[in-house]
Amino acid sequence: MTLSAHDKELVTETWTKIAPKAAQIGGEALGRLIVVFPQTKTYFSHFADLSVSSPQIKAHGAKVLGAIGQAVSNIDNVSVSLSKLSELHAYNLRVDPVNFKLLAHTLLVTLSAYLGAEFTPEVHLAWDKFLALIATVLSEKYR
Ligand code: HNI
């Protein structure tokens, strides 16, 4: 997945805007994931509360967005930046890669809700490509 220089600029600009609310956005995106795609709950069955407002789900969503922030800071080198997480998801957690696409979807929806009119088609495209790149990186250790 190749992001153009303009895509990278848009992702970085958007991140600057949403960074103060990143934890909240991550929590909401993960909450949407388990509601809209309930099959994803199987990965979090060790959480005591799997409701949309679960503190564990929110805290975990915040962690996910933390990693996305790290990827934004290393947008020219996402593969190296997320290498450890790629190993974790492939070897330890064994998350089926199809789920990365589902989370990308709920993240886009959440970004749209937070950014309103600023979530232009161009910004949408840039984030779609960026999240697809992250999904590829997180899946690249599977075989
Ligand atoms: Ni994911 C743990 C980042 C997608 C299931 N995941 C993490 C951690 C980060 C993270 C950060 C915490 C690591 C640590 O504690 O060292 N996950 C990401 C990112 C994406 C992603 C950046 C994609 C954008 N993870 C997913 C998906 C699923 C998923 C799609 C399953 C549906 N992740 C997990 C599980 C854990 C996890 C399960 C361990 C949770 C725990 O606390 O036990």
Side-chain angles (χ1 to χ4, degrees), residues 125-136:
L125 171 64
W127 272 89
D128 188 56
K129 288 168 84 173
F130 182 57
L131 293 173
L133 170 65
I134 291 180
T136 304

Side-chain angles (χ1 to χ4, degrees), residues 33 40 43-44 46-47 60 63-64 67-68 85 88-89 93 95 99-100 103 107 134 138:
L33 182 76
T40 57
Y43 294 101
F44 305 102
H46 54 299
F47 285 5
H60 188 63
K63 272 193 206 168
V64 170
I68 289 180
L85 269 186
L88 179 78
H89 285 78
L93 300 168
V95 172
N99 293 291
F100 297 125
L103 180 60
L107 266 167
I134 291 180
L138 288 185

